[in-house]
mmCIF file of all heavy atoms in Angstrom:
data_model
loop_
_atom_site.group_PDB
_atom_site.id
_atom_site.type_symbol
_atom_site.label_atom_id
_atom_site.label_comp_id
_atom_site.label_asym_id
_atom_site.label_seq_id
_atom_site.Cartn_x
_atom_site.Cartn_y
_atom_site.Cartn_z
ATOM 1 N N GLN A 1430 -133.663 55.027 -23.878
ATOM 2 C CA GLN A 1430 -134.451 54.542 -22.767
ATOM 3 C C GLN A 1430 -134.340 55.439 -21.536
ATOM 4 O O GLN A 1430 -135.318 55.620 -20.794
ATOM 5 C CB GLN A 1430 -134.071 53.112 -22.463
ATOM 6 C CG GLN A 1430 -134.464 52.081 -23.484
ATOM 7 C CD GLN A 1430 -133.913 50.700 -23.229
ATOM 8 O OE1 GLN A 1430 -133.230 50.448 -22.214
ATOM 9 N NE2 GLN A 1430 -134.181 49.780 -24.151
ATOM 10 N N GLU A 1431 -133.151 56.023 -21.405
ATOM 11 C CA GLU A 1431 -132.983 56.959 -20.265
ATOM 12 C C GLU A 1431 -133.799 58.249 -20.513
ATOM 13 O O GLU A 1431 -134.109 58.950 -19.526
ATOM 14 C CB GLU A 1431 -131.502 57.364 -20.197
ATOM 15 C CG GLU A 1431 -130.607 56.244 -19.694
ATOM 16 C CD GLU A 1431 -129.148 56.579 -19.684
ATOM 17 O OE1 GLU A 1431 -128.807 57.749 -20.170
ATOM 18 O OE2 GLU A 1431 -128.297 55.760 -19.292
ATOM 19 N N MET A 1432 -134.192 58.465 -21.773
ATOM 20 C CA MET A 1432 -135.024 59.644 -22.102
ATOM 21 C C MET A 1432 -136.513 59.224 -22.210
ATOM 22 O O MET A 1432 -137.335 59.898 -22.885
ATOM 23 C CB MET A 1432 -134.584 60.237 -23.425
ATOM 24 C CG MET A 1432 -133.132 60.744 -23.414
ATOM 25 S SD MET A 1432 -132.907 62.226 -22.425
ATOM 26 C CE MET A 1432 -133.750 63.425 -23.406
ATOM 27 N N ASN A 1433 -136.888 58.112 -21.577
ATOM 28 C CA ASN A 1433 -138.238 57.611 -21.478
ATOM 29 C C ASN A 1433 -138.790 57.112 -22.816
ATOM 30 O O ASN A 1433 -139.998 57.168 -23.079
ATOM 31 C CB ASN A 1433 -139.158 58.677 -20.895
ATOM 32 C CG ASN A 1433 -138.844 59.029 -19.477
ATOM 33 O OD1 ASN A 1433 -138.507 58.140 -18.688
ATOM 34 N ND2 ASN A 1433 -138.907 60.271 -19.126
ATOM 35 N N VAL A 1434 -137.872 56.638 -23.699
ATOM 36 C CA VAL A 1434 -138.368 56.011 -24.971
ATOM 37 C C VAL A 1434 -138.393 54.502 -24.675
ATOM 38 O O VAL A 1434 -137.376 53.845 -24.653
ATOM 39 C CB VAL A 1434 -137.415 56.298 -26.094
ATOM 40 C CG1 VAL A 1434 -137.899 55.557 -27.361
ATOM 41 C CG2 VAL A 1434 -137.343 57.788 -26.367
ATOM 42 N N SER A 1435 -139.577 53.973 -24.399
ATOM 43 C CA SER A 1435 -139.699 52.545 -24.009
ATOM 44 C C SER A 1435 -140.039 51.654 -25.177
ATOM 45 O O SER A 1435 -139.790 50.424 -25.135
ATOM 46 C CB SER A 1435 -140.738 52.414 -22.903
ATOM 47 O OG SER A 1435 -141.992 52.940 -23.316
ATOM 48 N N THR A 1436 -140.631 52.225 -26.221
ATOM 49 C CA THR A 1436 -141.042 51.409 -27.391
ATOM 50 C C THR A 1436 -139.801 51.028 -28.223
ATOM 51 O O THR A 1436 -138.856 51.844 -28.348
ATOM 52 C CB THR A 1436 -142.027 52.182 -28.266
ATOM 53 O OG1 THR A 1436 -143.153 52.523 -27.451
ATOM 54 C CG2 THR A 1436 -142.483 51.393 -29.446
ATOM 55 N N ASN A 1437 -139.786 49.860 -28.789
ATOM 56 C CA ASN A 1437 -138.712 49.419 -29.659
ATOM 57 C C ASN A 1437 -138.835 50.192 -30.975
ATOM 58 O O ASN A 1437 -139.442 49.731 -31.969
ATOM 59 C CB ASN A 1437 -138.789 47.921 -29.940
ATOM 60 C CG ASN A 1437 -137.692 47.415 -30.825
ATOM 61 O OD1 ASN A 1437 -136.870 48.185 -31.345
ATOM 62 N ND2 ASN A 1437 -137.594 46.081 -30.999
ATOM 63 N N ILE A 1438 -138.266 51.382 -31.049
ATOM 64 C CA ILE A 1438 -138.374 52.179 -32.209
ATOM 65 C C ILE A 1438 -137.448 51.684 -33.363
ATOM 66 O O ILE A 1438 -137.633 52.106 -34.506
ATOM 67 C CB ILE A 1438 -138.173 53.672 -31.937
ATOM 68 C CG1 ILE A 1438 -136.752 53.896 -31.336
ATOM 69 C CG2 ILE A 1438 -139.241 54.218 -31.035
ATOM 70 C CD1 ILE A 1438 -136.446 55.391 -31.118
ATOM 71 N N TYR A 1439 -136.508 50.847 -33.029
ATOM 72 C CA TYR A 1439 -135.687 50.249 -34.128
ATOM 73 C C TYR A 1439 -136.600 49.391 -35.018
ATOM 74 O O TYR A 1439 -136.531 49.440 -36.221
ATOM 75 C CB TYR A 1439 -134.590 49.365 -33.508
ATOM 76 C CG TYR A 1439 -133.442 50.119 -32.837
ATOM 77 C CD1 TYR A 1439 -132.533 49.434 -32.092
ATOM 78 C CD2 TYR A 1439 -133.302 51.498 -33.015
ATOM 79 C CE1 TYR A 1439 -131.494 50.121 -31.390
ATOM 80 C CE2 TYR A 1439 -132.292 52.190 -32.394
ATOM 81 C CZ TYR A 1439 -131.383 51.470 -31.595
ATOM 82 O OH TYR A 1439 -130.318 52.196 -30.978
ATOM 83 N N SER A 1440 -137.471 48.605 -34.375
ATOM 84 C CA SER A 1440 -138.402 47.831 -35.088
ATOM 85 C C SER A 1440 -139.496 48.667 -35.765
ATOM 86 O O SER A 1440 -139.818 48.449 -36.929
ATOM 87 C CB SER A 1440 -139.048 46.773 -34.162
ATOM 88 O OG SER A 1440 -140.012 45.983 -34.872
ATOM 89 N N LEU A 1441 -140.032 49.633 -34.989
ATOM 90 C CA LEU A 1441 -141.060 50.457 -35.545
ATOM 91 C C LEU A 1441 -140.629 51.232 -36.751
ATOM 92 O O LEU A 1441 -141.374 51.340 -37.708
ATOM 93 C CB LEU A 1441 -141.501 51.453 -34.425
ATOM 94 C CG LEU A 1441 -142.564 52.493 -34.841
ATOM 95 C CD1 LEU A 1441 -143.913 51.781 -35.083
ATOM 96 C CD2 LEU A 1441 -142.741 53.538 -33.733
ATOM 97 N N CYS A 1442 -139.400 51.713 -36.744
ATOM 98 C CA CYS A 1442 -138.907 52.542 -37.843
ATOM 99 C C CYS A 1442 -137.936 51.795 -38.773
ATOM 100 O O CYS A 1442 -137.277 52.445 -39.614
ATOM 101 C CB CYS A 1442 -138.214 53.801 -37.223
ATOM 102 S SG CYS A 1442 -139.249 54.752 -36.137
ATOM 103 N N GLN A 1443 -137.869 50.461 -38.617
ATOM 104 C CA GLN A 1443 -137.056 49.640 -39.491
ATOM 105 C C GLN A 1443 -135.614 50.132 -39.524
ATOM 106 O O GLN A 1443 -134.985 50.316 -40.610
ATOM 107 C CB GLN A 1443 -137.652 49.587 -40.912
ATOM 108 C CG GLN A 1443 -139.037 48.986 -40.936
ATOM 109 C CD GLN A 1443 -139.618 48.900 -42.372
ATOM 110 O OE1 GLN A 1443 -139.260 49.682 -43.221
ATOM 111 N NE2 GLN A 1443 -140.456 47.923 -42.543
ATOM 112 N N ILE A 1444 -135.011 50.332 -38.367
ATOM 113 C CA ILE A 1444 -133.602 50.692 -38.283
ATOM 114 C C ILE A 1444 -132.742 49.445 -38.281
ATOM 115 O O ILE A 1444 -132.958 48.550 -37.472
ATOM 116 C CB ILE A 1444 -133.345 51.521 -37.002
ATOM 117 C CG1 ILE A 1444 -134.208 52.812 -36.959
ATOM 118 C CG2 ILE A 1444 -131.871 51.908 -36.919
ATOM 119 C CD1 ILE A 1444 -133.949 53.731 -38.100
ATOM 120 N N SER A 1445 -131.777 49.371 -39.187
ATOM 121 C CA SER A 1445 -130.942 48.204 -39.255
ATOM 122 C C SER A 1445 -129.531 48.517 -38.778
ATOM 123 O O SER A 1445 -129.146 49.722 -38.639
ATOM 124 C CB SER A 1445 -130.894 47.652 -40.702
ATOM 125 O OG SER A 1445 -130.268 48.575 -41.568
ATOM 126 N N LEU A 1446 -128.710 47.516 -38.607
ATOM 127 C CA LEU A 1446 -127.343 47.748 -38.193
ATOM 128 C C LEU A 1446 -126.530 48.561 -39.171
ATOM 129 O O LEU A 1446 -125.719 49.398 -38.775
ATOM 130 C CB LEU A 1446 -126.629 46.386 -37.939
ATOM 131 C CG LEU A 1446 -127.099 45.572 -36.718
ATOM 132 C CD1 LEU A 1446 -126.399 44.234 -36.723
ATOM 133 C CD2 LEU A 1446 -126.910 46.321 -35.426
ATOM 134 N N LYS A 1447 -126.793 48.391 -40.456
ATOM 135 C CA LYS A 1447 -126.029 49.089 -41.448
ATOM 136 C C LYS A 1447 -126.344 50.643 -41.360
ATOM 137 O O LYS A 1447 -125.550 51.461 -41.863
ATOM 138 C CB LYS A 1447 -126.337 48.627 -42.842
ATOM 139 C CG LYS A 1447 -127.710 49.011 -43.338
ATOM 140 C CD LYS A 1447 -127.940 48.548 -44.794
ATOM 141 C CE LYS A 1447 -129.284 49.061 -45.316
ATOM 142 N NZ LYS A 1447 -129.470 48.695 -46.727
ATOM 143 N N ASP A 1448 -127.440 51.043 -40.769
ATOM 144 C CA ASP A 1448 -127.799 52.425 -40.658
ATOM 145 C C ASP A 1448 -126.847 53.194 -39.731
ATOM 146 O O ASP A 1448 -126.884 54.424 -39.730
ATOM 147 C CB ASP A 1448 -129.253 52.587 -40.139
ATOM 148 C CG ASP A 1448 -130.272 52.142 -41.227
ATOM 149 O OD1 ASP A 1448 -130.014 52.337 -42.379
ATOM 150 O OD2 ASP A 1448 -131.282 51.569 -40.806
ATOM 151 N N PHE A 1449 -126.041 52.511 -38.975
ATOM 152 C CA PHE A 1449 -125.123 53.156 -38.048
ATOM 153 C C PHE A 1449 -123.770 53.428 -38.718
ATOM 154 O O PHE A 1449 -122.921 54.056 -38.110
ATOM 155 C CB PHE A 1449 -124.923 52.314 -36.782
ATOM 156 C CG PHE A 1449 -126.091 52.287 -35.874
ATOM 157 C CD1 PHE A 1449 -127.132 51.375 -36.083
ATOM 158 C CD2 PHE A 1449 -126.219 53.209 -34.826
ATOM 159 C CE1 PHE A 1449 -128.273 51.359 -35.248
ATOM 160 C CE2 PHE A 1449 -127.312 53.175 -34.019
ATOM 161 C CZ PHE A 1449 -128.371 52.280 -34.242
ATOM 162 N N SER A 1450 -123.597 52.986 -39.935
ATOM 163 C CA SER A 1450 -122.297 53.186 -40.575
ATOM 164 C C SER A 1450 -122.450 54.201 -41.701
ATOM 165 O O SER A 1450 -123.538 54.610 -42.099
ATOM 166 C CB SER A 1450 -121.807 51.817 -41.210
ATOM 167 O OG SER A 1450 -120.459 51.937 -41.707
ATOM 168 N N LEU A 1451 -121.277 54.656 -42.182
ATOM 169 C CA LEU A 1451 -121.259 55.580 -43.305
ATOM 170 C C LEU A 1451 -122.001 55.017 -44.494
ATOM 171 O O LEU A 1451 -121.823 53.805 -44.813
ATOM 172 C CB LEU A 1451 -119.809 55.879 -43.679
ATOM 173 C CG LEU A 1451 -119.588 57.089 -44.606
ATOM 174 C CD1 LEU A 1451 -119.814 58.396 -43.850
ATOM 175 C CD2 LEU A 1451 -118.168 57.044 -45.155
ATOM 176 N N GLN A 1452 -122.853 55.820 -45.142
ATOM 177 C CA GLN A 1452 -123.581 55.334 -46.309
ATOM 178 C C GLN A 1452 -122.847 55.634 -47.593
ATOM 179 O O GLN A 1452 -122.095 56.642 -47.646
ATOM 180 C CB GLN A 1452 -124.988 56.016 -46.344
ATOM 181 C CG GLN A 1452 -125.771 55.830 -45.064
ATOM 182 C CD GLN A 1452 -126.179 54.356 -44.836
ATOM 183 O OE1 GLN A 1452 -126.908 53.768 -45.639
ATOM 184 N NE2 GLN A 1452 -125.648 53.762 -43.801
ATOM 185 N N VAL A 1453 -123.006 54.771 -48.549
ATOM 186 C CA VAL A 1453 -122.256 54.913 -49.814
ATOM 187 C C VAL A 1453 -123.119 55.646 -50.847
ATOM 188 O O VAL A 1453 -124.124 55.148 -51.366
ATOM 189 C CB VAL A 1453 -121.863 53.511 -50.362
ATOM 190 C CG1 VAL A 1453 -121.099 53.700 -51.652
ATOM 191 C CG2 VAL A 1453 -121.056 52.758 -49.354
ATOM 192 N N GLY A 1454 -122.735 56.906 -51.095
ATOM 193 C CA GLY A 1454 -123.425 57.709 -52.107
ATOM 194 C C GLY A 1454 -124.892 57.878 -51.770
ATOM 195 O O GLY A 1454 -125.289 58.011 -50.626
ATOM 196 N N THR A 1455 -125.712 57.863 -52.801
ATOM 197 C CA THR A 1455 -127.176 58.042 -52.588
ATOM 198 C C THR A 1455 -127.862 56.725 -52.481
ATOM 199 O O THR A 1455 -129.096 56.676 -52.364
ATOM 200 C CB THR A 1455 -127.739 58.827 -53.763
ATOM 201 O OG1 THR A 1455 -127.476 58.128 -54.985
ATOM 202 C CG2 THR A 1455 -127.133 60.210 -53.853
ATOM 203 N N GLN A 1456 -127.130 55.626 -52.528
ATOM 204 C CA GLN A 1456 -127.728 54.304 -52.477
ATOM 205 C C GLN A 1456 -127.942 53.879 -51.035
ATOM 206 O O GLN A 1456 -127.216 54.275 -50.157
ATOM 207 C CB GLN A 1456 -126.854 53.286 -53.215
ATOM 208 C CG GLN A 1456 -126.478 53.724 -54.619
ATOM 209 C CD GLN A 1456 -125.450 52.744 -55.215
ATOM 210 O OE1 GLN A 1456 -125.763 51.578 -55.412
ATOM 211 N NE2 GLN A 1456 -124.257 53.225 -55.466
ATOM 212 N N GLU A 1457 -128.927 53.074 -50.833
ATOM 213 C CA GLU A 1457 -129.154 52.506 -49.497
ATOM 214 C C GLU A 1457 -128.259 51.330 -49.324
ATOM 215 O O GLU A 1457 -128.719 50.150 -49.307
ATOM 216 C CB GLU A 1457 -130.609 52.176 -49.290
ATOM 217 C CG GLU A 1457 -131.548 53.340 -49.338
ATOM 218 C CD GLU A 1457 -133.003 52.973 -49.066
ATOM 219 O OE1 GLU A 1457 -133.246 51.738 -48.853
ATOM 220 O OE2 GLU A 1457 -133.857 53.835 -49.064
ATOM 221 N N SER A 1458 -126.974 51.559 -49.169
ATOM 222 C CA SER A 1458 -126.005 50.446 -49.077
ATOM 223 C C SER A 1458 -124.939 50.781 -48.041
ATOM 224 O O SER A 1458 -123.785 50.946 -48.365
ATOM 225 C CB SER A 1458 -125.392 50.173 -50.431
ATOM 226 O OG SER A 1458 -124.889 51.387 -50.999
ATOM 227 N N GLY A 1459 -125.375 50.965 -46.766
ATOM 228 C CA GLY A 1459 -124.408 51.176 -45.682
ATOM 229 C C GLY A 1459 -123.449 50.051 -45.682
ATOM 230 O O GLY A 1459 -123.772 48.931 -45.738
ATOM 231 N N CYS A 1460 -122.212 50.383 -45.512
ATOM 232 C CA CYS A 1460 -121.097 49.401 -45.475
ATOM 233 C C CYS A 1460 -120.686 49.114 -44.055
ATOM 234 O O CYS A 1460 -120.216 50.004 -43.303
ATOM 235 C CB CYS A 1460 -119.896 49.928 -46.258
ATOM 236 S SG CYS A 1460 -118.421 48.936 -46.123
ATOM 237 N N LEU A 1461 -120.863 47.855 -43.634
ATOM 238 C CA LEU A 1461 -120.340 47.354 -42.387
ATOM 239 C C LEU A 1461 -119.056 46.588 -42.667
ATOM 240 O O LEU A 1461 -119.088 45.588 -43.382
ATOM 241 C CB LEU A 1461 -121.344 46.496 -41.643
ATOM 242 C CG LEU A 1461 -122.582 47.221 -41.092
ATOM 243 C CD1 LEU A 1461 -123.567 46.232 -40.471
ATOM 244 C CD2 LEU A 1461 -122.193 48.273 -40.066
ATOM 245 N N LEU A 1462 -117.935 47.073 -42.155
ATOM 246 C CA LEU A 1462 -116.654 46.353 -42.421
ATOM 247 C C LEU A 1462 -116.635 45.059 -41.625
ATOM 248 O O LEU A 1462 -117.321 44.888 -40.603
ATOM 249 C CB LEU A 1462 -115.510 47.281 -41.992
ATOM 250 C CG LEU A 1462 -115.402 48.615 -42.760
ATOM 251 C CD1 LEU A 1462 -114.313 49.454 -42.119
ATOM 252 C CD2 LEU A 1462 -115.132 48.340 -44.221
ATOM 253 N N PRO A 1463 -115.820 44.078 -42.061
ATOM 254 C CA PRO A 1463 -115.716 42.815 -41.334
ATOM 255 C C PRO A 1463 -115.185 43.071 -39.955
ATOM 256 O O PRO A 1463 -114.401 44.017 -39.690
ATOM 257 C CB PRO A 1463 -114.667 42.044 -42.189
ATOM 258 C CG PRO A 1463 -114.724 42.645 -43.514
ATOM 259 C CD PRO A 1463 -115.020 44.099 -43.323
ATOM 260 N N SER A 1464 -115.591 42.262 -38.993
ATOM 261 C CA SER A 1464 -115.108 42.440 -37.621
ATOM 262 C C SER A 1464 -113.695 41.935 -37.434
ATOM 263 O O SER A 1464 -113.053 42.287 -36.412
ATOM 264 C CB SER A 1464 -116.049 41.669 -36.658
ATOM 265 O OG SER A 1464 -116.143 40.331 -37.009
ATOM 266 N N LEU A 1465 -113.153 41.166 -38.374
ATOM 267 C CA LEU A 1465 -111.721 40.778 -38.302
ATOM 268 C C LEU A 1465 -110.878 41.767 -39.052
ATOM 269 O O LEU A 1465 -111.430 42.464 -39.948
ATOM 270 C CB LEU A 1465 -111.561 39.381 -38.936
ATOM 271 C CG LEU A 1465 -112.260 38.195 -38.248
ATOM 272 C CD1 LEU A 1465 -112.031 36.906 -38.938
ATOM 273 C CD2 LEU A 1465 -111.833 38.109 -36.796
ATOM 274 N N PRO A 1466 -109.595 41.918 -38.726
ATOM 275 C CA PRO A 1466 -108.751 42.942 -39.377
ATOM 276 C C PRO A 1466 -108.728 42.796 -40.882
ATOM 277 O O PRO A 1466 -108.687 41.681 -41.408
ATOM 278 C CB PRO A 1466 -107.377 42.653 -38.743
ATOM 279 C CG PRO A 1466 -107.613 41.940 -37.504
ATOM 280 C CD PRO A 1466 -108.887 41.118 -37.731
ATOM 281 N N SER A 1467 -108.760 43.913 -41.618
ATOM 282 C CA SER A 1467 -108.703 43.869 -43.047
ATOM 283 C C SER A 1467 -107.944 45.114 -43.509
ATOM 284 O O SER A 1467 -107.696 46.069 -42.757
ATOM 285 C CB SER A 1467 -110.117 43.845 -43.645
ATOM 286 O OG SER A 1467 -110.853 45.034 -43.267
ATOM 287 N N ASP A 1468 -107.551 45.106 -44.775
ATOM 288 C CA ASP A 1468 -106.816 46.235 -45.371
ATOM 289 C C ASP A 1468 -107.553 46.672 -46.643
ATOM 290 O O ASP A 1468 -108.256 45.908 -47.287
ATOM 291 C CB ASP A 1468 -105.384 45.813 -45.766
ATOM 292 C CG ASP A 1468 -104.507 45.556 -44.567
ATOM 293 O OD1 ASP A 1468 -104.317 46.505 -43.722
ATOM 294 O OD2 ASP A 1468 -103.994 44.440 -44.406
ATOM 295 N N ALA A 1469 -107.309 47.940 -46.984
ATOM 296 C CA ALA A 1469 -107.784 48.422 -48.306
ATOM 297 C C ALA A 1469 -106.773 47.888 -49.361
ATOM 298 O O ALA A 1469 -105.672 47.535 -49.036
ATOM 299 C CB ALA A 1469 -107.822 49.909 -48.313
ATOM 300 N N THR A 1470 -107.208 47.841 -50.580
ATOM 301 C CA THR A 1470 -106.344 47.386 -51.636
ATOM 302 C C THR A 1470 -106.341 48.403 -52.773
ATOM 303 O O THR A 1470 -107.269 49.200 -52.889
ATOM 304 C CB THR A 1470 -106.719 46.052 -52.192
ATOM 305 O OG1 THR A 1470 -108.072 46.063 -52.657
ATOM 306 C CG2 THR A 1470 -106.603 44.957 -51.128
ATOM 307 N N PHE A 1471 -105.290 48.380 -53.592
ATOM 308 C CA PHE A 1471 -105.225 49.300 -54.739
ATOM 309 C C PHE A 1471 -105.042 48.491 -56.010
ATOM 310 O O PHE A 1471 -104.248 47.589 -56.113
ATOM 311 C CB PHE A 1471 -104.057 50.246 -54.626
ATOM 312 C CG PHE A 1471 -103.710 50.966 -55.892
ATOM 313 C CD1 PHE A 1471 -104.627 51.816 -56.499
ATOM 314 C CD2 PHE A 1471 -102.482 50.721 -56.512
ATOM 315 C CE1 PHE A 1471 -104.338 52.451 -57.656
ATOM 316 C CE2 PHE A 1471 -102.171 51.366 -57.706
ATOM 317 C CZ PHE A 1471 -103.104 52.239 -58.290
ATOM 318 N N ASP A 1472 -105.875 48.820 -57.038
ATOM 319 C CA ASP A 1472 -105.798 48.232 -58.346
ATOM 320 C C ASP A 1472 -105.676 49.375 -59.344
ATOM 321 O O ASP A 1472 -106.479 50.314 -59.298
ATOM 322 C CB ASP A 1472 -106.976 47.363 -58.638
ATOM 323 C CG ASP A 1472 -106.871 46.721 -60.026
ATOM 324 O OD1 ASP A 1472 -106.295 45.649 -60.114
ATOM 325 O OD2 ASP A 1472 -107.437 47.319 -60.977
ATOM 326 N N PRO A 1473 -104.716 49.326 -60.242
ATOM 327 C CA PRO A 1473 -104.533 50.464 -61.190
ATOM 328 C C PRO A 1473 -105.772 50.750 -62.023
ATOM 329 O O PRO A 1473 -105.950 51.933 -62.405
ATOM 330 C CB PRO A 1473 -103.357 49.991 -62.084
ATOM 331 C CG PRO A 1473 -102.597 48.984 -61.254
ATOM 332 C CD PRO A 1473 -103.623 48.333 -60.412
ATOM 333 N N SER A 1474 -106.566 49.731 -62.264
ATOM 334 C CA SER A 1474 -107.726 49.971 -63.150
ATOM 335 C C SER A 1474 -108.978 50.411 -62.389
ATOM 336 O O SER A 1474 -109.870 51.022 -62.967
ATOM 337 C CB SER A 1474 -108.062 48.692 -63.948
ATOM 338 O OG SER A 1474 -108.376 47.636 -63.046
ATOM 339 N N SER A 1475 -109.057 50.116 -61.087
ATOM 340 C CA SER A 1475 -110.258 50.404 -60.334
ATOM 341 C C SER A 1475 -110.052 51.346 -59.146
ATOM 342 O O SER A 1475 -111.019 51.763 -58.535
ATOM 343 C CB SER A 1475 -110.936 49.133 -59.874
ATOM 344 O OG SER A 1475 -110.089 48.363 -59.070
ATOM 345 N N GLY A 1476 -108.828 51.556 -58.723
ATOM 346 C CA GLY A 1476 -108.545 52.463 -57.644
ATOM 347 C C GLY A 1476 -108.542 51.729 -56.294
ATOM 348 O O GLY A 1476 -108.126 50.571 -56.176
#
Side-chain angles (χ1 to χ4, degrees):
Q1430 289 174 4
E1431 291 174 358
M1432 299 290 290
N1433 296 320
V1434 178
S1435 56
T1436 302
N1437 181 355
I1438 57 175
Y1439 290 167
S1440 176
L1441 176 67
C1442 304
Q1443 298 182 332
I1444 303 297
S1445 67
L1446 290 177
K1447 72 175 185 179
D1448 290 326
F1449 288 86
S1450 187
L1451 193 73
Q1452 302 296 294
V1453 181
T1455 58
Q1456 307 173 64
E1457 294 183 1
S1458 52
C1460 171
L1461 291 176
L1462 298 174
S1464 56
L1465 296 179
S1467 61
D1468 292 300
T1470 58
F1471 165 65
D1472 181 86
S1474 63
S1475 59

